[in-house]
Amino acid sequence: DLLDVVEWLAPRVRLTYIGDGPMRQDLEARIKARSLPIRLLGFRPRPWDAAIQAHVFVSASSSESDGLSAVEAIARAMPVLLKDIPGHRGLPVKSMSLFSTTSDLARLVEGLVNGNTKIADFEIEERSRRQLIEERSPTRVAIRWRNIYEKLMNSRARCAVDANLVVEDSIAIPK
Protein backbone atom coordinates (compact mmCIF):
# COMPACT_ATOMS: atom_id res chain seq x y z
CA ASP A 1 0.00 0.00 0.00
CA LEU A 2 0.99 3.66 -0.08
CA LEU A 3 2.53 3.40 3.40
CA ASP A 4 5.03 0.87 2.02
CA VAL A 5 6.09 3.37 -0.66
CA VAL A 6 6.59 6.14 1.91
CA GLU A 7 8.53 3.81 4.20
CA TRP A 8 10.75 2.64 1.35
CA LEU A 9 11.52 6.17 0.14
CA ALA A 10 11.65 7.94 3.54
CA PRO A 11 13.05 10.41 4.37
CA ARG A 12 13.25 11.52 0.72
CA VAL A 13 9.47 11.79 0.42
CA ARG A 14 6.77 13.17 2.68
CA LEU A 15 3.10 12.43 2.38
CA THR A 16 0.28 14.71 3.40
CA TYR A 17 -3.06 12.95 3.65
CA ILE A 18 -6.09 15.20 3.36
CA GLY A 19 -9.46 13.72 4.17
CA ASP A 20 -11.16 11.62 6.76
CA GLY A 21 -13.07 8.42 7.00
CA PRO A 22 -13.84 5.30 8.97
CA MET A 23 -10.28 3.92 8.67
CA ARG A 24 -8.56 6.98 10.14
CA GLN A 25 -7.77 5.46 13.57
CA ASP A 26 -6.30 2.35 11.94
CA LEU A 27 -4.25 4.52 9.57
CA GLU A 28 -2.96 6.67 12.44
CA ALA A 29 -1.90 3.56 14.36
CA ARG A 30 -0.10 2.10 11.32
CA ILE A 31 1.73 5.37 10.67
CA LYS A 32 2.78 5.71 14.32
CA ALA A 33 3.92 2.07 14.55
CA ARG A 34 6.17 2.54 11.51
CA SER A 35 7.29 6.11 12.37
CA LEU A 36 6.44 7.32 8.88
CA PRO A 37 6.80 10.94 7.66
CA ILE A 38 3.07 11.33 7.00
CA ARG A 39 0.87 14.23 8.07
CA LEU A 40 -2.82 13.46 8.49
CA LEU A 41 -4.74 16.69 8.08
CA GLY A 42 -8.22 15.21 8.27
CA PHE A 43 -11.27 16.84 6.76
CA ARG A 44 -10.75 20.29 5.29
CA PRO A 45 -13.59 22.38 3.87
CA ARG A 46 -11.09 23.75 1.34
CA PRO A 47 -8.62 20.88 0.90
CA TRP A 48 -6.70 22.53 -1.92
CA ASP A 49 -5.58 25.33 0.36
CA ALA A 50 -3.65 22.68 2.31
CA ALA A 51 -2.38 20.87 -0.79
CA ILE A 52 -0.93 23.91 -2.52
CA GLN A 53 2.67 23.00 -1.65
CA ALA A 54 2.43 19.47 -3.04
CA HIS A 55 4.61 18.58 -6.00
CA VAL A 56 2.37 15.77 -7.21
CA PHE A 57 -1.10 14.39 -6.47
CA VAL A 58 -1.30 10.65 -5.75
CA SER A 59 -4.50 8.65 -5.56
CA ALA A 60 -3.97 5.05 -4.53
CA SER A 61 -7.69 4.44 -4.02
CA SER A 62 -9.01 0.99 -4.82
CA SER A 63 -12.27 2.50 -6.03
CA GLU A 64 -13.51 5.89 -7.19
CA SER A 65 -16.94 6.53 -8.59
CA ASP A 66 -15.97 9.57 -10.63
CA GLY A 67 -12.39 10.36 -9.67
CA LEU A 68 -13.42 13.78 -8.37
CA SER A 69 -10.28 14.43 -6.33
CA ALA A 70 -8.14 13.57 -9.37
CA VAL A 71 -10.28 15.87 -11.53
CA GLU A 72 -9.73 18.68 -9.01
CA ALA A 73 -5.96 18.09 -9.07
CA ILE A 74 -5.93 18.13 -12.87
CA ALA A 75 -8.04 21.31 -12.90
CA ARG A 76 -5.37 22.91 -10.71
CA ALA A 77 -2.67 21.82 -13.19
CA MET A 78 -1.06 19.40 -10.70
CA PRO A 79 0.80 16.40 -12.07
CA VAL A 80 -1.04 13.24 -11.04
CA LEU A 81 -0.19 9.61 -10.27
CA LEU A 82 -3.35 7.52 -10.22
CA LYS A 83 -4.14 3.91 -9.47
CA ASP A 84 -5.37 2.23 -12.65
CA ILE A 85 -9.04 1.80 -11.74
CA PRO A 86 -12.22 2.48 -13.75
CA GLY A 87 -12.86 5.85 -12.08
CA HIS A 88 -9.48 7.14 -13.30
CA ARG A 89 -9.25 5.55 -16.76
CA GLY A 90 -11.44 8.13 -18.49
CA LEU A 91 -9.33 11.06 -17.30
CA PRO A 92 -6.97 12.80 -19.75
CA VAL A 93 -3.76 11.60 -18.11
CA LYS A 94 -0.67 10.18 -19.72
CA SER A 95 -0.53 6.39 -19.55
CA MET A 96 2.64 6.61 -17.47
CA SER A 97 0.61 8.40 -14.78
CA LEU A 98 -1.42 5.23 -14.10
CA PHE A 99 -0.03 2.50 -11.86
CA SER A 100 -1.37 -0.94 -11.05
CA THR A 101 0.75 -2.07 -8.12
CA THR A 102 2.51 -0.55 -5.15
CA SER A 103 5.80 -1.44 -6.84
CA ASP A 104 4.79 0.55 -9.93
CA LEU A 105 3.96 3.55 -7.75
CA ALA A 106 7.24 3.20 -5.84
CA ARG A 107 9.20 3.22 -9.13
CA LEU A 108 7.34 6.32 -10.37
CA VAL A 109 7.93 8.21 -7.11
CA GLU A 110 11.55 7.06 -6.89
CA GLY A 111 12.12 8.33 -10.44
CA LEU A 112 10.82 11.73 -9.36
CA VAL A 113 12.90 11.74 -6.17
CA ASN A 114 16.10 10.71 -7.96
CA GLY A 115 15.57 13.10 -10.86
CA ASN A 116 15.36 10.31 -13.46
CA THR A 117 11.79 11.39 -14.20
CA LYS A 118 10.67 14.99 -14.40
CA ILE A 119 7.44 16.36 -12.92
CA ALA A 120 6.69 17.75 -16.39
CA ASP A 121 6.45 14.16 -17.66
CA PHE A 122 3.19 13.82 -15.71
CA GLU A 123 1.64 17.19 -16.50
CA ILE A 124 -1.62 17.24 -18.42
CA GLU A 125 -1.78 19.08 -21.74
CA GLU A 126 -3.53 22.43 -21.34
CA ARG A 127 -6.14 21.64 -24.00
CA SER A 128 -7.06 18.37 -22.28
CA ARG A 129 -7.16 20.07 -18.90
CA ARG A 130 -9.53 22.78 -20.14
CA GLN A 131 -11.76 20.19 -21.82
CA LEU A 132 -11.96 18.21 -18.58
CA ILE A 133 -12.90 21.34 -16.61
CA GLU A 134 -15.66 22.08 -19.11
CA GLU A 135 -17.00 18.50 -19.10
CA ARG A 136 -17.01 18.30 -15.30
CA SER A 137 -18.41 21.76 -14.59
CA PRO A 138 -21.20 21.82 -11.97
CA THR A 139 -23.70 22.89 -14.63
CA ARG A 140 -22.77 20.05 -16.99
CA VAL A 141 -22.88 17.48 -14.20
CA ALA A 142 -26.29 18.73 -13.01
CA ILE A 143 -27.68 18.54 -16.56
CA ARG A 144 -26.29 15.03 -17.00
CA TRP A 145 -27.93 13.86 -13.75
CA ARG A 146 -31.21 15.57 -14.64
CA ASN A 147 -31.22 13.83 -18.05
CA ILE A 148 -30.59 10.43 -16.47
CA TYR A 149 -33.35 11.04 -13.94
CA GLU A 150 -35.81 12.11 -16.64
CA LYS A 151 -34.91 9.13 -18.80
CA LEU A 152 -35.54 6.78 -15.91
CA MET A 153 -38.83 8.43 -14.99
CA ASN A 154 -40.07 8.49 -18.60
CA SER A 155 -38.94 5.03 -19.64
CA ARG A 156 -41.34 2.16 -20.17
CA ALA A 157 -39.01 -0.16 -18.29
CA ARG A 158 -40.10 -1.29 -14.86
CA CYS A 159 -38.99 1.14 -12.17
CA ALA A 160 -39.34 0.85 -8.44
CA VAL A 161 -39.70 4.19 -6.71
CA ASP A 162 -39.33 4.75 -2.98
CA ALA A 163 -38.99 7.94 -0.95
CA ASN A 164 -35.25 8.34 -1.56
CA LEU A 165 -34.23 6.36 -4.61
CA VAL A 166 -35.20 5.63 -8.19
CA VAL A 167 -34.09 2.15 -9.26
CA GLU A 168 -34.12 0.74 -12.80
CA ASP A 169 -32.45 -2.60 -13.35
CA SER A 170 -29.04 -2.16 -11.66
CA ILE A 171 -28.98 1.65 -11.76
CA ALA A 172 -29.73 3.52 -8.55
CA ILE A 173 -29.93 7.29 -8.64
CA PRO A 174 -30.64 9.52 -5.62
CA LYS A 175 -33.75 11.64 -5.98
Side-chain angles (χ1 to χ4, degrees), residues 9-166:
L9 294 172
R12 297 175 292 164
V13 299
R14 291 183 322 241
L15 178 70
T16 299
Y17 185 91
I18 302 170
D20 217 340
M23 298 181 70
R24 175 154 183 165
Q25 287 182 339
D26 176 60
L27 185 59
E28 286 175 338
R30 291 172 59 205
I31 290 167
K32 185 176 180 179
R34 294 163 76 172
S35 301
L36 298 175
I38 297 175
R39 291 185 324 156
L40 295 177
L41 298 183
F43 172 79
R44 297 280 199 241
R46 298 175 49 104
W48 291 102
D49 291 347
I52 201 152
Q53 295 179 344
H55 295 287
V56 66
F57 173 85
V58 178
S59 176
S61 295
S62 298
S63 67
E64 288 278 344
S65 60
D66 202 24
L68 185 58
S69 59
V71 169
E72 290 173 342
I74 293 167
R76 286 169 172 73
M78 281 187 92
V80 297
L81 299 176
L82 308 172
K83 185 145 189 193
D84 188 6
I85 57 173
H88 292 150
R89 287 189 197 126
L91 299 175
V93 297
K94 296 176 180 176
S95 60
M96 70 179 295
S97 293
L98 297 174
F99 61 89
S100 298
T101 66
T102 301
S103 298
D104 292 342
L105 175 59
R107 280 191 292 279
L108 289 170
V109 173
E110 184 178 39
L112 290 169
V113 169
N114 292 336
N116 299 331
T117 307
K118 305 293 181 220
I119 290 280
D121 294 340
F122 299 98
E123 291 175 348
I124 310 302
E125 295 176 11
E126 184 61 21
R127 191 186 87 222
S128 297
R129 192 178 74 78
R130 288 186 186 280
Q131 181 179 352
L132 178 71
I133 292 168
E134 173 65 24
E135 290 172 359
R136 303 290 178 103
S137 73
T139 302
R140 279 267 178 101
V141 171
I143 290 169
R144 194 166 30 246
W145 277 103
R146 185 193 69 209
N147 291 341
I148 291 170
Y149 179 77
E150 288 175 356
K151 181 179 177 185
L152 287 173
M153 293 308 294
N154 294 327
S155 73
R156 292 180 181 223
R158 267 191 312 134
C159 290
V161 180
D162 71 26
N164 299 310
L165 202 59
V166 176

